[in-house]
């Protein structure tokens, strides 16, 4: 561990650019966090196809697990609810697939939500109390299409790979995708999203559409700095903090993150990394002690954990030039 190194200027600039706040954050391992909606997407919009190809018995496993719970919406699931070659599935299959999905150390994946009503939609049916059509930005998929991908002109198909306005790439986007929401006016119908910008309301459960895995929250824990203190006599800056895991993080996932990711201390004003490779302890705390230049002590610092930033914390006993 070397906490005293400063990065070369070129690397500092690259780090500062990557640390800039954006709505989407690539968390690695095929997961993308949307901080505006506080959800995490699978980077692959058709992960089911790859999953079925890698494990030919996967569909049978999902069917058995779903039926052991009483099926989906009171219906017994069958292998015919899945199209392994394309990754498409009926709504029943999509609900079961999301319920049984385990990825990235998490097992709480689901299908995207489409809330109703949505005042952002162009079409508002006041009699039924529903919103549909184009420009629906209140749903999770609509937000992805219109906000994250900046598609303000409906009709542009986002098939294949797509890079967001912030430079985050999603892979394998198809056309029609299931939501987890039933369409109340019609039995056995569900809300869906067409990645040409159209949010629909009455797709039959038996139709074959794609399923996109999403989960609530971030796949990285909350990061905080407890204290940052400069000691003029020794010229040392001490920064301490902790990680806070939600119950969704299994013990194995917590251990994996502690062992594979490190803390970086950053000058909050300039974005310059000033201490690198700080290991998180088993009790989820961390501590960094490193030499600080008395002529350029950071007035406030942030911490970075694998791309997730803490809030800025003032350095106590900092030099007089830090005074407001």
């Amino acid at each position: 561990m070397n906490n005293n190194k400063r990065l070369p200027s070129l690397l500092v600039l690259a780090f500062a650019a990557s640390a800039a706040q954006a709505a989407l954050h690539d968390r690695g391992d095929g997961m993308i966090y949307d901080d505006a909606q506080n959800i995490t997407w699978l980077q692959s919009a058709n992960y089911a196809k790859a999953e079925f190809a890698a494990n030919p018995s996967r569909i049978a496993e999902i069917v058995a697990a779903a039926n052991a719970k009483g099926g989906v919406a009171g219906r017994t699931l069958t292998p015919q609810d899945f199209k392994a070659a394309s990754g498409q599935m009926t709504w029943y299959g999509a609900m079961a697939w999301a319920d049984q999905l385990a990825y990235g150390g998490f097992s709480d994946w689901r299908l995207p939500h489409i809330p109703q009503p949505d005042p952002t939609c162009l079409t508002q049916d006041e009699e039924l109390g529903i919103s549909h059509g184009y420009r629906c930005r209140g749903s999770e998929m609509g937000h992805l299409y219109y906000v994250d991908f900046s598609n303000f002109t409906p009709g542009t198909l986002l098939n294949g790979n797509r890079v967001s306005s912030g430079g985050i790439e999603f892979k394998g986007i198809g056309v029609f995708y299931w939501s987890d929401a039933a369409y109340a006016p019609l039995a056995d119908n569900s809300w869906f999203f067409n990645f040409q910008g159209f949010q629909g309301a009455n797709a039959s459960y038996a139709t074959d559409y794609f399923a996109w895995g999403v989960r609530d929250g971030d796949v990285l824990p909350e990061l905080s700095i407890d204290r940052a203190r400069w000691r003029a006599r020794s010229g040392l800056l001490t920064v301490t903090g902790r990680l806070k895991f939600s119950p969704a993080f299994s013990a194995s996932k917590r251990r994996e993150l502690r062992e594979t990711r490190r803390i970086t201390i950053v000058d909050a004003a300039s974005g310059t990394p000033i201490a690198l490779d700080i290991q998180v302890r088993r009790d989820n705390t961390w501590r960094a002690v490193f030499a600080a230049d008395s002529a350029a002590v950071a007035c406030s610092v942030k911490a970075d954990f694998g791309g997730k930033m803490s809030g800025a914390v003032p350095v106590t006993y900092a030099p007089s030039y830090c005074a407001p």
Side-chain angles (χ1 to χ4, degrees):
M1 183 187 301
N2 185 350
N3 288 337
N4 298 326
K5 271 189 184 177
R6 289 184 180 270
L7 294 181
S9 58
L10 184 59
L11 291 180
V12 167
L13 290 174
F15 184 96
S18 66
Q21 291 299 308
L24 296 176
H25 307 269
D26 189 341
R27 296 306 195 205
D29 301 324
M31 295 178 286
I32 307 296
Y33 175 60
D34 182 337
D35 65 15
Q37 301 191 90
N38 191 30
I39 57 175
T40 298
W41 295 94
L42 288 183
Q43 187 172 23
S44 172
N46 191 9
Y47 176 72
K49 178 180 178 180
E51 186 183 25
F52 298 155
N55 181 4
S57 64
R58 183 60 183 146
I59 290 176
E61 294 169 358
I62 295 172
V63 169
N67 290 337
K69 295 181 177 181
V72 177
R75 177 183 175 278
T76 300
L77 210 64
T78 75
Q80 284 65 50
D81 284 298
F82 303 87
K83 299 291 186 290
S86 67
Q88 293 171 297
M89 54 196 87
T90 66
W91 181 82
Y92 302 105
M95 290 288 284
W97 170 79
D99 180 66
Q100 296 298 314
L101 178 61
Y103 186 95
F106 299 93
S107 57
D108 55 353
W109 298 93
R110 58 172 173 78
L111 297 181
H113 294 324
I114 291 182
Q116 288 296 311
D118 178 356
T120 67
C121 295
L122 283 183
T123 304
Q124 303 289 333
D125 189 324
E126 295 183 2
E127 181 179 352
L128 294 177
I130 62 173
S131 312
H132 58 94
Y134 290 104
R135 299 187 186 270
C136 297
R137 301 181 302 281
S139 68
E140 291 171 342
M141 289 183 285
H143 186 277
L144 190 66
Y145 182 92
Y146 283 107
V147 179
D148 295 323
F149 291 133
S150 301
N151 267 356
F152 297 109
T153 303
T156 303
L157 177 60
L158 301 186
N159 59 338
N161 295 354
R162 175 73 177 192
V163 177
S164 74
S165 56
I168 303 295
E169 183 181 35
F170 288 86
K171 300 177 180 180
I173 299 176
V175 184
F176 291 93
Y177 280 83
W178 289 118
S179 81
D180 64 355
Y183 177 56
L186 291 176
D188 298 336
N189 278 253
S190 175
W191 287 88
F192 67 91
F193 193 84
N194 174 338
F195 272 85
Q196 288 178 310
F198 184 86
Q199 186 165 288
N202 56 346
S204 168
Y205 284 173
T207 307
D208 292 319
Y209 285 168
F210 293 106
W212 199 336
V214 66
R215 64 176 298 276
D216 294 318
D218 199 347
V219 293
L220 290 182
E222 293 300 317
L223 171 65
S224 65
I225 296 177
D226 295 331
R227 187 176 70 169
R229 181 176 181 177
W230 185 63
R231 298 178 183 272
R233 183 171 298 180
S234 63
L236 295 178
L237 181 61
T238 302
V239 186
T240 59
R242 65 187 63 245
L243 299 180
K244 182 180 180 181
F245 291 90
S246 73
F249 289 81
S250 64
S252 60
K253 185 64 178 179
R254 299 179 193 208
R255 183 174 60 252
E256 173 200 328
L257 289 173
R258 288 195 303 264
E259 292 175 352
T260 60
R261 303 197 183 226
R262 298 290 184 267
I263 302 289
T264 296
I265 305 301
V266 181
D267 184 317
S270 67
T272 303
I274 54 178
L276 312 176
D277 300 326
I278 301 158
Q279 191 166 12
V280 179
R281 298 164 173 164
R282 293 183 64 181
D283 65 356
N284 300 322
T285 63
W286 51 269
R287 183 172 184 267
V289 181
F290 52 95
D293 186 342
S294 60
V297 175
C299 300
S300 61
V301 293
K302 292 183 178 182
D304 177 280
F305 181 70
K308 184 163 188 175
M309 301 292 292
S310 74
V313 172
V315 174
T316 59
Y317 301 105
S320 59
Y321 58 76
C322 289

